[in-house]
Amino acid sequence: MTITLYAAPMSSAIPVVHAIEELEVPHHLVRLDLQAGDQHQAAFLALNPHGKVPTLVVEGTPMFEALAIIQWLGDRYGVERGLWPAADASERLEALSWSTWMYVSFGAAFKRWILARSTSDRVDGSPHPEGPAELAISELRGMVAIVDARLASRDHLVGDRFTLVDLIVANGMAYAAVAGVSTNGYDHVDRWLDSVRQRPAWKKAWTME
Ligand SMILES: N[C@@H](CCC(=O)N[C@@H](CS)C(=O)NCC(=O)O)C(=O)O
């Protein structure tokens, strides 16, 4: 199977690079320079009209959206490697829920927080209401607390070993943490995040070396 991944360092492509490394999927990696505008080139827009990374091309068929890509990788390669639950396992239901929750619910609150903060930054000189940013960060912290409670009695989000669900949620939380969504005070989350960060594939994805 011919697979090409279009990615850029420190972008939404990180979790896909991480997943492809964990799964040891043979692939060709194309690094785009987003600052230089590689994503606006006609050849790339023909693959992904949104002009975004990650984009995965599988036997000539392009895919976009990191969550869709990782769920497909899980189905195609993860089940046989024990990194994604089988379609008829009860854990598959949990895997779809937690992974979608990270991108849809946590992701939406994160975006609201980023927007609210940058709006405040743009209003130079004059006081700006902090309400929306405070609301979003408290929602995000509440979501971290829910993950913390789940991890109080288990080492992994789904099943009893590391899966792509841990990968998706840990990458999302770590990315948010870089922007300032601290996990301080949530010790179960921090222990689990540390264990995911120790994985060799994590380093490859975060440095894209
Ligand atoms: N929801 C998308 C987000 C993709 C996205 O926004 N990618 C950014 C990098 S983090 C990008 O390619 N930006 C280039 C641009 O907008 O010009 C996903 O998860 O795949």
Side-chain angles (χ1 to χ4, degrees), residues 8-13 16 32 34 37 39-40 44 48 50-55 64-69 103 111 175:
M10 280 312 285
S11 73
S12 305
V16 175
L32 294 197
L34 300 180
Q39 71 277 28
H40 304 308
F44 183 67
N48 181 349
H50 308 291
K52 309 267 186 208
V53 293
T55 296
F64 48 82
E65 289 299 329
L67 175 61
I69 293 171
Y103 275 91
K111 188 144 198 179
Y175 199 74

Side-chain angles (χ1 to χ4, degrees), residues 85-97:
D88 55 0
S90 61
E91 286 85 6
R92 171 68 76 90
L93 313 181
E94 297 182 293
L96 291 175
S97 295

Side-chain angles (χ1 to χ4, degrees), residues 19 22-23 25 70-89 91-92 95-96 161-164:
E22 290 282 357
L23 295 164
V25 177
I70 299 173
Q71 288 179 340
W72 178 78
L73 287 168
D75 289 349
R76 175 62 183 80
Y77 299 98
V79 176
E80 65 203 44
R81 289 162 172 71
L83 287 170
W84 186 246
D88 55 0
E91 286 85 6
R92 171 68 76 90
L96 291 175
R161 56 163 295 182
F162 171 84
T163 66
L164 298 181

